[in-house]
Amino acid sequence: MVQATPFLLVLSLALVAPSFSSRKCVLTGKWINDLGSNMTIGPMNEKGDFFGNYTTTVTVNKTETRTSPMLGSQHLTKEKSQPTFGFTVHWNFTDSVTVFTGQCFVDELGNEVLKTMWLLRLPENNINDDWKATMVGTNVFTRLHSQK
């Protein structure tokens, strides 16, 4: 019986695992990232384009939040359950723009997660200062569920 236990464990994992990988990750909805910023992604059109808004507390004044518009696109393929995407946030409180690119995943527990990398472009008045005008980073977003 002891030898059968590892076999049964592997068999049960093999039967359950495909249900997680076949679950589709959907971008539409509300998300929060590891820095506490929130975004809302609206419905996709037939081309995979979407609009939304991005609310951040990552500003000079850490006590206030600022909301800015975003525009993005998701790669549409019927067989991809974990799509790639990109979006741009046009900050309305500064002369900067941030572009995000990433992929929507369903993790082992069935939770949707957005893994992203971003580039933030700051304005510079002199071409000689261009070297310091772009910042790069990563964020992980998790879905915000409405509370009743």
Side-chain angles (χ1 to χ4, degrees), residues 21-114:
S21 63
S22 65
R23 181 165 172 228
K24 188 167 177 67
C25 192
V26 178
L27 288 178
T28 303
K30 296 179 183 287
W31 300 87
I32 186 167
N33 73 14
D34 45 330
L35 298 175
S37 296
N38 291 284
M39 71 174 169
T40 302
I41 298 176
M44 310 279 155
N45 68 16
E46 66 282 349
K47 296 177 185 176
D49 300 329
F50 59 86
F51 295 95
N53 54 52
Y54 195 102
T55 303
T56 186
T57 58
V58 184
T59 61
V60 175
N61 181 350
K62 302 279 187 203
T63 60
E64 66 179 303
T65 60
R66 301 282 184 110
T67 301
S68 296
M70 57 183 274
L71 170 64
S73 183
Q74 172 184 313
H75 190 250
L76 293 178
T77 56
K78 298 213 181 330
E79 62 274 357
K80 297 287 183 191
S81 61
Q82 302 189 86
T84 57
F85 62 89
F87 62 88
T88 301
V89 179
H90 174 194
W91 303 112
N92 58 15
F93 54 88
T94 182
D95 293 336
S96 300
V97 170
T98 302
V99 293
F100 289 77
T101 186
Q103 188 168 358
C104 189
F105 290 101
V106 177
D107 70 13
E108 315 77 49
L109 301 174
N111 300 312
E112 293 169 298
V113 177
L114 306 182

Side-chain angles (χ1 to χ4, degrees), residues 35 54 98-101 116-120 135-139:
L35 298 175
Y54 195 102
T98 302
V99 293
F100 289 77
T101 186
T116 66
M117 177 170 265
W118 53 262
L119 294 171
L120 167 63
M135 298 168 56
V136 62
T138 60
N139 284 123

